Amino acid sequence: RKEKMDIDLLHPDRWDEEKKYKTKRLVQAPNSFFMDVKCPGCYHITTIFSHAQTVIKCQGCGVVLCHPTGGKCKLELGTGWRRKQKMNNRAILCYTQNWILRDMPIKNLSLKKK
């Protein structure tokens, strides 16, 4: 007689998979990514790595955009950012605290196809 398992090994829960270490997932994937960061002062967009190990400054006005930590870099308050994705050239728009959406039009953040 067969007994049912508590979990489905072929169709794992998405939330459980995100908590696992990157090589222990059903499909191995890195935790790092590239992102576009928008400067709160001059609105210049800079592409940075999510796990940057140096202080990143805006190329336009010189304001510090992020500070390194042991893992992912910490963005400054007021900076808008979006994750760069390989699939479908779409971007996920995200905002740090104290960012006002009406000051940052979404149409200016769209990725241009090359």
Side-chain angles (χ1 to χ4, degrees):
R1 155 180 124 140
K2 293 183 180 178
E3 294 183 22
K4 289 190 174 182
M5 293 184 69
D6 293 337
I7 57 172
D8 186 5
L9 295 176
L10 292 176
H11 302 83
D13 188 30
R14 187 177 118 192
W15 308 112
D16 293 335
E17 283 291 301
E18 288 179 0
K19 292 179 184 177
K20 289 182 182 178
Y21 185 69
K22 63 184 178 181
T23 59
K24 300 296 182 186
R25 297 180 188 143
L26 186 62
V27 177
Q28 295 180 6
N31 296 328
S32 59
F33 53 90
F34 286 93
M35 57 185 168
D36 285 334
V37 178
K38 191 170 187 180
C39 177
C42 66
Y43 301 108
H44 181 73
I45 295 177
T46 306
T47 301
I48 64 171
F49 187 59
S50 64
H51 291 67
Q53 296 180 351
T54 59
V55 174
I56 307 293
K57 295 184 180 181
C58 176
Q59 296 172 352
C61 61
V63 173
V64 175
L65 297 176
C66 70
H67 292 283
T69 61
K72 291 185 179 178
C73 61
K74 182 177 179 181
L75 294 175
E76 289 294 321
L77 289 178
T79 56
W81 65 279
R82 67 175 171 209
R83 183 176 180 158
K84 285 197 164 191
Q85 294 183 346
K86 293 181 182 178
M87 301 174 66
N88 300 335
N89 288 333
R90 295 186 326 180
I92 298 173
L93 301 178
C94 304
Y95 301 93
T96 54
Q97 295 175 354
N98 299 336
W99 185 261
I100 301 171
L101 290 175
R102 62 182 159 80
D103 290 344
M104 188 172 174
I106 293 175
K107 64 181 180 182
N108 290 345
L109 283 176
S110 63
L111 285 176
K112 297 178 182 177
K113 292 184 180 179
K114 293 181 179 179

